[in-house]
Amino acid sequence: MSTAARLTLYGAGLVAAFGAAFGIASVVVPESFVADWIASGDQAEHEAPTAPADPKTPESGTH
């Protein structure tokens, strides 16, 4: 089997797999859950990570 044919079959398999996953998810996941998820994503606040108080101090368990 040529490389082009294998890549074509692989691509078709990916399209089929992701299409099936999307189709199943659209049937299984309730619309209200999706709406709540989208609404909560708009209000999320992210904080910048803080540096450790003393960077010379090894973390617990390491020596």
Side-chain angles (χ1 to χ4, degrees):
M1 182 180 284
S2 71
T3 303
R6 282 188 280 178
L7 286 173
T8 301
L9 287 175
Y10 180 73
L14 284 176
V15 168
F18 281 100
F22 180 79
I24 291 170
S26 67
V27 172
V28 173
V29 178
E31 188 66 32
S32 61
F33 180 80
V34 175
D36 291 342
W37 183 320
I38 292 171
S40 70
D42 292 339
Q43 300 169 0
E45 294 181 17
H46 301 285
E47 295 181 13
T50 57
D54 185 8
K56 295 179 184 176
T57 304
E59 295 184 24
S60 62
T62 59
H63 296 281

